[in-house]
Amino acid sequence: MDQDPVETPGYDAAVVDLLGVLAYGELTAFIRMAADCDLAPTLALKSAMGRLATTDYQHYEQLAAHLRGLGVEPEEAMSPFVAPFSAFHERTRPRGWLEGLVKAYVGDGIAKDFYREMSALVDADTRAVMEEALGDEGHADFVVQIVRDTIRADRTAAGRLALWGRRLLGEALSQAQAVAVERDAMAALLVGGGLDLGEVGRMFTRLTENHQKRMTRMGLDA
């Protein structure tokens, strides 16, 4: 990093944007997972999905509290991202419960990987808050077993879910690029953090590689 991130022009606005988009992501993940709990075919799966939703909401609360500590209302920080998130979810509307679980596992995974990359460009206190909210407690691991069981029982499901995973990757990377470029403060943070176009490209390569690992865990071709 070429300079102290706090010295980057518009740095405070970039931090609010980062925390706002992350908070809204956790809030929407909670809402969607909580709603999908009702579709789960067994009580054990309802419980697993409930734990994941609860974790998402706890992360949202941590981020909201930190924003208030900065003198920013969470709703104000999140509002610029409502429309982009709605558009993303409209483009990636799952066809059934299983596609919804895969979306939660790989889609959220791509988003969190992106925010981890961005966390390297902020100050230590902000990074600590982001890393706590991005923590992987393994609550989504149940999705892996569900997908593996499904494709063992129905081999045609593997191809369908692999295509779905590739679509999610493309949409999620486009969403990440839009967030990074269209918000002036975050674009300035990327440049001020010393990332040239080559490093930005390598960052998106890492996001793709991590996605491929998640797909492999589920027994799907990336």
Side-chain angles (χ1 to χ4, degrees):
M1 189 174 296
D2 294 339
Q3 65 180 41
D4 185 335
V6 178
E7 297 175 1
T8 302
Y11 176 77
D12 290 344
V15 166
V16 170
D17 273 353
L18 269 176
L19 296 176
V21 68
L22 184 51
Y24 191 63
E26 292 297 306
L27 181 59
T28 55
F30 157 72
I31 292 169
R32 290 175 180 277
M33 186 58 63
D36 285 350
C37 280
D38 225 17
L39 303 176
T42 69
L43 290 176
L45 288 175
K46 290 179 189 292
S47 177
M49 294 173 71
R51 281 194 299 274
L52 182 55
T54 299
T55 299
D56 290 333
Y57 191 74
Q58 289 170 343
H59 289 165
Y60 160 73
E61 287 191 313
Q62 291 164 358
L63 292 160
H66 190 73
L67 281 164
R68 292 190 187 97
L70 297 176
V72 179
E73 285 301 315
E75 292 78 8
E76 178 184 345
M78 294 188 295
S79 63
F81 307 104
V82 172
F85 268 75
S86 295
F88 169 75
H89 287 301
E90 185 61 31
R91 293 193 303 269
T92 58
R93 187 184 297 275
R95 296 172 300 179
W97 175 72
L98 186 60
E99 284 193 1
L101 281 184
V102 172
K103 178 181 174 180
Y105 183 68
V106 300
D108 290 355
I110 296 165
K112 290 190 173 185
D113 283 343
F114 171 68
Y115 299 132
R116 287 189 188 97
E117 295 278 355
M118 293 294 290
S119 73
L121 305 176
V122 298
D123 61 276
D125 288 344
T126 302
R127 187 181 309 119
V129 173
M130 292 180 67
E131 288 177 350
E132 187 171 1
L134 293 168
D136 182 5
E137 294 86 357
H139 293 320
D141 287 351
F142 72 95
V143 177
V144 173
Q145 192 60 49
I146 290 172
V147 173
R148 285 185 169 274
D149 289 346
T150 298
I151 62 180
R152 272 197 296 267
D154 177 10
R155 294 305 303 175
T156 64
R160 184 176 71 251
L161 293 175
L163 286 173
W164 176 236
R166 286 192 282 273
R167 181 180 169 191
L168 290 170
L169 173 65
E171 293 287 358
L173 291 182
S174 295
Q175 178 83 352
Q177 288 176 313
V179 167
V181 174
E182 292 178 8
R183 298 296 293 176
D184 290 343
M186 278 200 279
L189 181 63
L190 281 168
V191 174
L195 298 188
D196 57 22
L197 289 177
E199 181 55 37
V200 171
R202 287 188 288 275
M203 177 180 74
F204 281 95
T205 296
R206 291 191 293 272
L207 297 181
T208 300
E209 290 171 347
N210 287 338
H211 168 76
Q212 291 170 340
K213 291 175 184 176
R214 291 188 187 94
M215 294 289 284
T216 298
R217 286 191 67 200
M218 291 186 292
L220 300 174
D221 293 331

